[in-house]
């Protein structure tokens, strides 16, 4: 038996599980595709269109404008625009 490789595989499995279960804020660039009554339509990290709100006071965005989008603690339902590029 190659116990060294088995130990390394076990450690790698524990690390992979810990990383996959970790919830963190995820911020990425996107573009405003269009403006609707409910907010702004952007493309999320998976390539799907989502309607989100802008959390920057006093800013009005235009279609085609690059923005920063934040997904707090992995909650896609709380996705919002947090900055302008």
């Amino acid at each position: 038996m190659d116990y060294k490789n088995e130990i390394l595989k076990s450690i790698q499995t524990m690390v992979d599980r810990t990383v996959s279960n970790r919830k963190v804020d995820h911020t990425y660039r996107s573009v405003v595709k269009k403006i609707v009554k409910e907010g702004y339509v952007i493309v999320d990290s998976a390539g799907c269109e989502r309607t989100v709100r802008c959390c920057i006071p006093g800013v009005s965005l235009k279609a085609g404008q690059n923005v920063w989008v934040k997904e707090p603690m992995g909650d896609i339902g709380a996705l919002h625009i947090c900055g302008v590029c």
Side-chain angles (χ1 to χ4, degrees), residues 32 40 42 52-56 61 67-69 80-83:
V32 176
Y40 300 95
I42 56 107
V52 298
R53 295 190 177 219
C54 182
C55 292
I56 308 169
L61 303 172
V67 293
W68 288 103
V69 180
H80 62 277
I81 295 172
C82 63

Side-chain angles (χ1 to χ4, degrees), residues 4-82:
K4 293 177 186 176
N5 284 336
E6 290 299 320
I7 291 172
L8 289 174
K9 285 181 186 178
S10 297
I11 292 171
Q12 184 64 46
T13 301
M14 289 188 302
V15 169
D16 290 343
R17 286 182 184 166
T18 302
V19 170
S20 67
N21 291 332
R22 189 167 184 211
K23 302 256 188 218
V24 295
D25 289 354
H26 182 70
T27 304
Y28 51 91
R29 286 179 81 161
S30 186
V31 64
V32 176
K33 296 204 61 163
K34 61 183 172 181
I35 302 168
V36 294
K37 185 173 140 182
E38 295 82 23
Y40 300 95
V41 177
I42 56 107
V43 178
D44 67 7
S45 60
C48 299
E49 289 186 359
R50 298 207 178 261
T51 303
V52 298
R53 295 190 177 219
C54 182
C55 292
I56 308 169
V59 172
S60 62
L61 303 172
K62 301 174 187 170
Q65 192 168 6
N66 290 320
V67 293
W68 288 103
V69 180
K70 183 181 281 186
E71 182 181 325
M73 301 299 287
D75 182 10
I76 196 75
L79 191 66
H80 62 277
I81 295 172
C82 63

